[in-house]
Amino acid sequence: MKEIYRKTSIFSFIGGTGLTLYCILYYFIWYEGFSLNGDVLFELGIIGVFSLGAGVYFKKAYEKLIDHPVVDSEIDVENIGELILKRVPSLLPKLYNVDHNGQPLFQIKPAKGQFRNGLLLFQSFEKGMLFPVNYDIAALDGSILATFQIKNNVKQFTLTLKKPDGTVIGRYIQQLSKSAMKNRGTLYHADGLVWRQLEAKNMAGDIDVLDERGSRTASYRYGLFPYATLPAFQSTAHHEHVRFGAQISSEEKLAYVMIFFFWLDG
């Protein structure tokens, strides 16, 4: 979280400074009077002031956080019991899964070598619109834990999870016509057999995923976060939190990482 707050502060300062300079140019070049086009100058100025204020706020936030011991880069997915997904301010989409101290455990980022990665600057392309997008689930040292692809063919989303060697682990399919109001879909094994059925309980997105015996394999509750009072999370109001069942495999956890990234990232 310290690194996330630091980058948020930098992006806010850059945005606020840029808007402030633009307002100055706008005043001397295009400004004709408040009744004519002063509303544009006023609105941009307000946004610029708020951006600079956010920069100061998050600068103080990361300066207050202490540095915890660095997590071993050889992450053991089997021992991870929850997801706390936090988006990192960057030009391309990037998320960290952090622990209860706010320390990054692994990252989710666009796979290297995609010639269309530049289009991911626009959020509408992040979920596979027009062309499939590949993401890496990677340890902090860059080693790949798994990869997944998101494809949107207008009728359905198809998410495919693969091992680093390209072997398919499973696929998640979400029909657009059946998930317009709330997320629902089916996770399949590589051989096409149904693995899990997933369906949000309500518009907020609350969800429980059960196995064949009725035991919970994953759960998400909108707005409920057990670590909200800890220093690492006090500076932001909303946090994404997913609990894993103790009995599920590493591959199933990676499948949920893929699905909840798709559901919860903006």
Side-chain angles (χ1 to χ4, degrees):
M1 292 300 295
K2 187 170 185 177
E3 180 66 9
I4 293 172
Y5 289 158
R6 186 185 71 83
K7 289 186 176 180
T8 302
S9 175
I10 292 172
F11 269 67
S12 297
F13 274 125
I14 292 174
T17 301
L19 284 173
T20 300
L21 292 176
Y22 182 81
C23 286
I24 294 173
L25 290 174
Y26 188 91
Y27 179 80
F28 286 105
I29 299 175
W30 298 288
Y31 182 72
E32 299 178 29
F34 190 83
S35 61
L36 296 176
N37 59 354
D39 55 336
V40 176
L41 183 65
F42 177 77
E43 291 171 2
L44 291 177
I46 290 295
I47 296 173
V49 169
F50 273 104
S51 295
L52 291 173
V56 173
Y57 176 80
F58 284 106
K59 182 176 184 295
K60 292 180 178 179
Y62 82 75
E63 287 176 343
K64 288 193 298 184
L65 295 182
I66 63 174
D67 290 314
H68 293 275
V70 177
V71 177
D72 191 340
S73 60
E74 295 183 1
I75 186 69
D76 185 0
V77 177
E78 188 171 354
N79 290 328
I80 293 178
E82 61 188 357
L83 289 178
I84 305 174
L85 295 175
K86 307 302 296 184
R87 182 145 184 160
V88 181
S90 62
L91 295 178
L92 297 180
K94 181 178 180 181
L95 275 78
Y96 281 145
N97 178 50
V98 302
D99 64 15
H100 65 279
N101 289 317
Q103 291 294 102
L105 297 176
F106 60 79
Q107 55 190 320
I108 306 171
K109 59 183 180 178
K112 293 182 179 180
Q114 297 180 105
F115 70 93
R116 292 167 295 196
N117 269 357
L119 291 176
L120 299 183
L121 292 169
F122 305 98
Q123 192 173 31
S124 58
F125 293 109
E126 294 180 10
K127 301 299 174 63
M129 180 179 289
L130 300 184
F131 58 87
V133 182
N134 295 290
Y135 292 92
D136 289 334
I137 304 173
L140 299 183
D141 64 358
S143 59
I144 306 301
L145 304 174
T147 65
F148 62 89
Q149 181 187 84
I150 302 178
K151 182 179 180 181
N152 177 4
N153 70 356
V154 180
K155 294 183 179 180
Q156 69 180 31
F157 288 103
T158 301
L159 283 62
T160 304
L161 179 68
K162 299 180 180 180
K163 295 179 180 179
D165 63 5
T167 304
V168 174
I169 298 173
R171 288 186 175 87
Y172 172 75
I173 295 178
Q174 180 166 309
Q175 302 287 342
L176 295 178
S177 60
K178 298 179 179 180
S179 59
M181 300 302 293
K182 56 183 181 179
N183 287 311
R184 68 183 74 184
T186 304
L187 177 64
Y188 297 90
H189 287 288
D191 59 7
L193 294 176
V194 174
W195 194 351
R196 298 283 181 257
Q197 295 285 352
L198 297 93
E199 181 176 353
K201 295 179 177 180
N202 48 46
M203 293 291 289
D206 295 348
I207 185 169
D208 289 318
V209 188
L210 306 179
D211 63 15
E212 299 82 357
R213 297 182 297 275
S215 299
R216 189 176 299 168
T217 62
S219 64
Y220 169 76
R221 293 291 182 274
Y222 178 81
L224 295 182
F225 184 63
Y227 310 120
T229 59
L230 297 183
F233 302 103
Q234 290 179 356
S235 296
T236 52
H238 182 66
H239 307 281
E240 311 286 12
H241 181 251
V242 180
R243 293 186 185 275
F244 290 145
Q247 78 279 18
I248 68 174
S249 66
S250 298
E251 290 186 346
E252 187 165 357
K253 289 180 181 180
L254 290 171
Y256 292 146
V257 170
M258 171 182 72
I259 294 168
F260 282 101
F261 168 86
F262 170 68
W263 280 0
L264 303 178
D265 177 34

